[in-house]
Amino acid sequence: MTYTLEGRTGAWEIVCGLEVHAQVISKAKLFSGAATAFGAAPNTQVSFVDAAFPGMLPVINRECVAQAIRTGLGLKAEINLWSRFDRKNYFYADLPAGYQISQYQHPIVGRGEIVIDLADGTTRTIGITRLHLEQDAGKSLHDQHPTKSYIDLNRAGVALMEIVSEPDIRSPEEAGAYLAKLRQILRYLGTCDGNMEEGSLRADVNVSVRRPGEMYRTRCEVKNVNSIRFVMQAVEAEARRQIEVWESGGEVQQETRLFDPNRGVTRPMRSKEHAHDYRYFPDPDLLPLELDPAWIAELKAHLPELPDAKAARFQRDYGLSAYDARVLVAEQATADYYEAVARGHDPKQAANWVMGDLFAALNRTGRSIADPPVPAASLGRLLDLIADDTISGRIAKQVFEEMVETGADPVAIVEARGLRQVTDTGAIDAAVAQVLAAHSDKVAEYKSGKDKLFGFFVGQVMKAMAGKGNPALVNEALKRALS
Ligand code: MN
C-alpha cells in the first residue's frame, strides 16, 4: 500500500531522500592531530592545519578511513579501492581555508542498502547512493557579544561521513524509520555516536511530491534537521506545502529551505539562483586514496553483529517474536543485558522481565541500560528463585522492586523478609479450611455450579498466606477440599 496525502484535487505521493552528515568517532581530526572531544572551551582543539595557516599540509587520518570502510561494510555497500579528495570552494567566516576538503566524483563508498522497520511489522529496503568523507566547518557564535560574532574552530576539520540515500522513501514514517535504523547501525559499528542533540548526526531532507504513477517533479531540500521527530514533521510539512503550490496552479521552485519546529512549517533559505558554484577540483595537497583489499577484509572480519542479524538470531535461538527481538536489539547495551539474563534461564521469561519490569525501573529511576539499577546477574538470580519454587512470580515482583530501591541481592531480600514460598501442605490445607469456613455462602454457590468462584477462593487463600503459598499446591488443596 502506497502512502498518499489527500489534496483538494486528489491523491499525492511523497518522494524523499536523505543526506545525513555523521560525525566520525575518532580521537583526532580527518587531516590533523587536533582532538575532537565535544564541549571543550572554544578554540582549544585547533591545529595550524585546521586554522588554515599558510603552508600547512593535510595528512590523512587512517582511523577515519577505517571508520568509513566499516560503515560502508555495515551498509552492505561497495568499497571503492580508489577514491579522491576534492576542494569544495566557498566563502564563509567559519571556513578559514576558503574551501572544504570533500569527495565529489569519487567517494570512498558506493551503493548499499538499509532495511527499515515499520510500525506494522513490515520492512522496506532503502538504497544508499554513496558515502563520502569530508571535513566539518567551524562554528560562528552570534550570541556572545552585542555587536560581534565569534568563531570557534574546534569543530573545523573534524571528519564527517556524508551518507546519501536514494529517493526511495515514500512517507514521513519511512523517513523517520530510515534515520533511526541508520543511527542504530552507526552506533553498533562504533563509527558515530548518533547524538543528534550534540550535532553528531544531522539530516538534510530532499522532498518532492507527484501524482501516483508519475515521474519525479521538482524537489526542495530542507537543511539541518536535528531529530528523528523533526525529520518526520519536516517531510510532511514540506510535502503539504508543495501540494498546495501545485494545486493552486503554481510551480514548485527548486530551493533550500529550513524547518521551523515551533510553527511546523518550512521556510526558504536560498533559491536556485543563489545556489553556490563550488568550483570543485582535486586537492593538490592529497594523493588519491588507494585501499588494500586485505585491509578491507580484515576490517570486515572484525565487524560486530549488526541489529538485523542479532534480531534474527534472537528469534531463532530464543524463540522470541519479531517485535520482542526488535525491541531488545534497539541498543547494543540492551541486547547484551538481555543475553546475560537469558543464558541459563527461560528466554521468553527473561524477555518479559527485561521489557516489562526492568524498562519500567529505568524510566522511573532515570537510569540507562548501560548503568542499570539491577545488574543482569542479579535479575538472573531472581529468575532462579522463581524456577526452583523458592518464591512465586508475584512475590518476585515485590523482590524486584526492593532490588531497584536498595540494590540488594534477591536471595538476601527473600531471607531477610521471610518471603520463601510455603510448600508445607499442612499449612496450605489449614489456610484453605479457614477460607472455606469464612465463606460458606460462596462454597454453596460454587457447589451449585458457579465454577468461576474458584479464582475467588485462590485469591482469598493467597491473601491469608500473605502471597507466599505455592500457587500450584494451593490450587490442588482447594480442588481437594471443594470436591
Ligand atoms: Mn556535505
Short mmCIF file of all heavy atoms in Angstrom, two decimals, residues 77-106:
data_model
loop_
_atom_site.label_atom_id
_atom_site.label_comp_id
_atom_site.label_asym_id
_atom_site.label_seq_id
_atom_site.Cartn_x
_atom_site.Cartn_y
_atom_site.Cartn_z
N ALA A 77 27.57 -2.06 1.39
CA ALA A 77 27.90 -1.23 0.23
C ALA A 77 29.24 -1.65 -0.40
O ALA A 77 30.06 -2.30 0.24
CB ALA A 77 27.97 0.23 0.65
N GLU A 78 29.43 -1.24 -1.66
CA GLU A 78 30.71 -1.48 -2.30
C GLU A 78 31.72 -0.49 -1.73
O GLU A 78 31.42 0.68 -1.56
CB GLU A 78 30.64 -1.26 -3.82
CG GLU A 78 29.27 -1.09 -4.36
CD GLU A 78 29.22 -0.42 -5.73
OE1 GLU A 78 30.24 0.08 -6.25
OE2 GLU A 78 28.10 -0.39 -6.27
N ILE A 79 32.92 -0.97 -1.44
CA ILE A 79 34.00 -0.09 -1.00
C ILE A 79 34.86 0.18 -2.24
O ILE A 79 35.31 -0.75 -2.90
CB ILE A 79 34.86 -0.77 0.09
CG1 ILE A 79 33.99 -1.32 1.23
CG2 ILE A 79 35.93 0.19 0.60
CD1 ILE A 79 33.17 -0.29 1.97
N ASN A 80 35.04 1.46 -2.56
CA ASN A 80 35.84 1.81 -3.74
C ASN A 80 37.33 1.81 -3.38
O ASN A 80 37.75 2.53 -2.49
CB ASN A 80 35.41 3.16 -4.29
CG ASN A 80 34.00 3.12 -4.85
OD1 ASN A 80 33.59 2.12 -5.45
ND2 ASN A 80 33.23 4.17 -4.63
N LEU A 81 38.09 0.98 -4.09
CA LEU A 81 39.52 0.85 -3.77
C LEU A 81 40.29 2.11 -4.13
O LEU A 81 41.39 2.33 -3.66
CB LEU A 81 40.12 -0.36 -4.49
CG LEU A 81 39.53 -1.72 -4.08
CD1 LEU A 81 40.20 -2.85 -4.84
CD2 LEU A 81 39.68 -1.93 -2.57
N TRP A 82 39.69 2.93 -4.98
CA TRP A 82 40.34 4.19 -5.39
C TRP A 82 39.34 5.33 -5.19
O TRP A 82 38.24 5.29 -5.73
CB TRP A 82 40.75 4.10 -6.86
CG TRP A 82 41.66 5.20 -7.33
CD1 TRP A 82 43.03 5.16 -7.42
CD2 TRP A 82 41.28 6.50 -7.82
NE1 TRP A 82 43.52 6.34 -7.91
CE2 TRP A 82 42.47 7.19 -8.16
CE3 TRP A 82 40.06 7.16 -7.98
CZ2 TRP A 82 42.47 8.49 -8.66
CZ3 TRP A 82 40.06 8.47 -8.48
CH2 TRP A 82 41.26 9.11 -8.82
N SER A 83 39.68 6.28 -4.37
CA SER A 83 38.81 7.45 -4.22
C SER A 83 39.70 8.69 -4.13
O SER A 83 40.93 8.59 -4.06
CB SER A 83 37.91 7.32 -3.00
OG SER A 83 38.65 7.32 -1.81
N ARG A 84 39.07 9.86 -4.16
CA ARG A 84 39.88 11.09 -4.28
C ARG A 84 39.25 12.22 -3.47
O ARG A 84 38.03 12.31 -3.36
CB ARG A 84 39.94 11.49 -5.75
CG ARG A 84 40.93 12.59 -6.04
CD ARG A 84 40.96 12.93 -7.50
NE ARG A 84 39.75 13.66 -7.89
CZ ARG A 84 39.36 13.85 -9.16
NH1 ARG A 84 40.07 13.33 -10.14
NH2 ARG A 84 38.28 14.53 -9.43
N PHE A 85 40.11 13.08 -2.92
CA PHE A 85 39.62 14.26 -2.20
C PHE A 85 39.65 15.48 -3.10
O PHE A 85 40.62 15.71 -3.83
CB PHE A 85 40.47 14.50 -0.94
CG PHE A 85 40.19 13.48 0.12
CD1 PHE A 85 41.04 12.38 0.30
CD2 PHE A 85 39.07 13.58 0.93
CE1 PHE A 85 40.76 11.42 1.26
CE2 PHE A 85 38.79 12.62 1.90
CZ PHE A 85 39.64 11.55 2.06
N ASP A 86 38.55 16.23 -3.05
CA ASP A 86 38.43 17.45 -3.85
C ASP A 86 38.28 18.65 -2.93
O ASP A 86 37.91 18.51 -1.75
CB ASP A 86 37.18 17.36 -4.74
CG ASP A 86 37.23 16.18 -5.67
OD1 ASP A 86 38.05 16.19 -6.61
OD2 ASP A 86 36.47 15.22 -5.43
N ARG A 87 38.52 19.83 -3.48
CA ARG A 87 38.24 21.05 -2.75
C ARG A 87 36.89 21.59 -3.20
O ARG A 87 36.66 21.74 -4.39
CB ARG A 87 39.33 22.10 -3.02
CG ARG A 87 40.64 21.75 -2.38
CD ARG A 87 41.64 22.88 -2.55
NE ARG A 87 42.91 22.52 -1.93
CZ ARG A 87 43.98 23.31 -1.94
NH1 ARG A 87 43.94 24.50 -2.57
NH2 ARG A 87 45.09 22.93 -1.35
N LYS A 88 36.04 21.88 -2.21
CA LYS A 88 34.74 22.47 -2.46
C LYS A 88 34.86 23.92 -1.99
O LYS A 88 34.95 24.19 -0.80
CB LYS A 88 33.69 21.71 -1.66
CG LYS A 88 32.27 22.21 -1.79
CD LYS A 88 31.34 21.33 -0.93
CE LYS A 88 29.91 21.80 -1.00
NZ LYS A 88 29.01 20.93 -0.23
N ASN A 89 34.90 24.84 -2.96
CA ASN A 89 35.25 26.22 -2.64
C ASN A 89 34.04 27.07 -2.31
O ASN A 89 33.08 27.12 -3.09
CB ASN A 89 35.99 26.85 -3.83
CG ASN A 89 37.28 26.11 -4.13
OD1 ASN A 89 38.30 26.34 -3.49
ND2 ASN A 89 37.23 25.19 -5.09
N TYR A 90 34.06 27.70 -1.16
CA TYR A 90 33.06 28.72 -0.85
C TYR A 90 33.59 29.61 0.27
O TYR A 90 34.49 29.21 1.01
CB TYR A 90 31.70 28.11 -0.47
CG TYR A 90 31.65 27.27 0.79
CD1 TYR A 90 31.28 27.81 2.00
CD2 TYR A 90 31.96 25.91 0.75
CE1 TYR A 90 31.21 27.05 3.15
CE2 TYR A 90 31.90 25.14 1.89
CZ TYR A 90 31.53 25.71 3.10
OH TYR A 90 31.47 24.94 4.24
N PHE A 91 33.03 30.80 0.37
CA PHE A 91 33.49 31.71 1.41
C PHE A 91 32.54 31.68 2.58
O PHE A 91 31.33 31.86 2.42
CB PHE A 91 33.61 33.15 0.89
CG PHE A 91 33.93 34.11 2.00
CD1 PHE A 91 35.22 34.21 2.48
CD2 PHE A 91 32.93 34.84 2.62
CE1 PHE A 91 35.52 35.05 3.55
CE2 PHE A 91 33.22 35.68 3.68
CZ PHE A 91 34.50 35.79 4.15
N TYR A 92 33.06 31.46 3.77
CA TYR A 92 32.26 31.63 4.96
C TYR A 92 33.21 31.87 6.12
O TYR A 92 34.33 31.36 6.14
CB TYR A 92 31.36 30.40 5.23
CG TYR A 92 30.19 30.75 6.11
CD1 TYR A 92 29.11 31.46 5.58
CD2 TYR A 92 30.18 30.44 7.46
CE1 TYR A 92 28.05 31.84 6.39
CE2 TYR A 92 29.12 30.81 8.27
CZ TYR A 92 28.06 31.50 7.73
OH TYR A 92 27.01 31.88 8.53
N ALA A 93 32.75 32.67 7.10
CA ALA A 93 33.65 33.10 8.18
C ALA A 93 34.21 31.92 8.98
O ALA A 93 35.33 32.00 9.50
CB ALA A 93 32.90 34.05 9.12
N ASP A 94 33.44 30.82 9.07
CA ASP A 94 33.93 29.70 9.90
C ASP A 94 34.73 28.68 9.08
O ASP A 94 34.99 27.58 9.53
CB ASP A 94 32.76 29.04 10.64
CG ASP A 94 31.73 28.44 9.69
OD1 ASP A 94 32.06 28.18 8.52
OD2 ASP A 94 30.58 28.23 10.14
N LEU A 95 35.11 29.06 7.85
CA LEU A 95 35.88 28.16 6.97
C LEU A 95 37.17 28.89 6.56
O LEU A 95 37.24 29.48 5.48
CB LEU A 95 35.04 27.82 5.73
CG LEU A 95 35.61 26.74 4.80
CD1 LEU A 95 35.46 25.36 5.42
CD2 LEU A 95 34.94 26.78 3.44
N PRO A 96 38.19 28.86 7.44
CA PRO A 96 39.37 29.72 7.20
C PRO A 96 40.08 29.43 5.88
O PRO A 96 40.64 30.34 5.28
CB PRO A 96 40.27 29.46 8.41
CG PRO A 96 39.68 28.32 9.15
CD PRO A 96 38.26 28.17 8.74
N ALA A 97 40.08 28.20 5.40
CA ALA A 97 40.81 27.88 4.17
C ALA A 97 40.08 28.41 2.94
O ALA A 97 40.67 28.56 1.87
CB ALA A 97 41.01 26.37 4.04
N GLY A 98 38.79 28.71 3.04
CA GLY A 98 38.02 29.12 1.87
C GLY A 98 37.56 27.92 1.04
O GLY A 98 36.98 28.07 -0.02
N TYR A 99 37.85 26.71 1.51
CA TYR A 99 37.34 25.51 0.84
C TYR A 99 37.22 24.39 1.87
O TYR A 99 37.91 24.39 2.90
CB TYR A 99 38.26 25.05 -0.30
CG TYR A 99 39.68 24.75 0.12
CD1 TYR A 99 40.03 23.51 0.64
CD2 TYR A 99 40.68 25.71 -0.01
CE1 TYR A 99 41.33 23.24 1.03
CE2 TYR A 99 41.98 25.46 0.38
CZ TYR A 99 42.31 24.22 0.91
OH TYR A 99 43.59 23.94 1.31
N GLN A 100 36.30 23.47 1.57
CA GLN A 100 36.15 22.26 2.39
C GLN A 100 36.75 21.11 1.61
O GLN A 100 36.49 20.99 0.40
CB GLN A 100 34.65 22.01 2.61
CG GLN A 100 34.33 20.72 3.37
CD GLN A 100 32.85 20.33 3.25
OE1 GLN A 100 32.21 20.60 2.24
NE2 GLN A 100 32.31 19.71 4.27
N ILE A 101 37.55 20.28 2.27
CA ILE A 101 38.05 19.08 1.58
C ILE A 101 36.96 18.01 1.69
O ILE A 101 36.51 17.67 2.77
CB ILE A 101 39.38 18.57 2.18
CG1 ILE A 101 40.43 19.68 2.15
CG2 ILE A 101 39.85 17.34 1.41
CD1 ILE A 101 41.77 19.27 2.77
N SER A 102 36.52 17.54 0.51
CA SER A 102 35.42 16.59 0.45
C SER A 102 35.70 15.60 -0.68
O SER A 102 36.73 15.69 -1.34
CB SER A 102 34.12 17.36 0.19
OG SER A 102 33.02 16.49 0.14
N GLN A 103 34.79 14.65 -0.88
CA GLN A 103 34.95 13.73 -2.01
C GLN A 103 33.75 13.94 -2.92
O GLN A 103 32.62 13.75 -2.51
CB GLN A 103 35.00 12.28 -1.52
CG GLN A 103 36.21 11.98 -0.65
CD GLN A 103 36.33 10.49 -0.36
OE1 GLN A 103 35.41 9.87 0.17
NE2 GLN A 103 37.47 9.90 -0.72
N TYR A 104 34.01 14.37 -4.14
CA TYR A 104 32.92 14.76 -5.03
C TYR A 104 32.61 13.65 -6.03
O TYR A 104 31.63 12.91 -5.87
CB TYR A 104 33.31 16.06 -5.72
CG TYR A 104 32.25 16.66 -6.62
CD1 TYR A 104 30.94 16.78 -6.17
CD2 TYR A 104 32.57 17.12 -7.89
CE1 TYR A 104 29.97 17.35 -6.99
CE2 TYR A 104 31.61 17.67 -8.71
CZ TYR A 104 30.31 17.78 -8.26
OH TYR A 104 29.36 18.33 -9.07
N GLN A 105 33.47 13.47 -7.03
CA GLN A 105 33.16 12.48 -8.07
C GLN A 105 33.54 11.06 -7.67
O GLN A 105 33.03 10.10 -8.22
CB GLN A 105 33.88 12.84 -9.37
CG GLN A 105 33.18 13.96 -10.09
CD GLN A 105 34.04 14.56 -11.19
OE1 GLN A 105 35.27 14.49 -11.13
NE2 GLN A 105 33.39 15.12 -12.19
N HIS A 106 34.47 10.94 -6.73
CA HIS A 106 34.98 9.60 -6.40
C HIS A 106 34.91 9.35 -4.90
O HIS A 106 35.89 9.49 -4.19
CB HIS A 106 36.42 9.46 -6.90
CG HIS A 106 36.55 9.63 -8.38
ND1 HIS A 106 36.24 8.63 -9.28
CD2 HIS A 106 36.91 10.70 -9.13
CE1 HIS A 106 36.42 9.06 -10.52
NE2 HIS A 106 36.83 10.32 -10.45
#
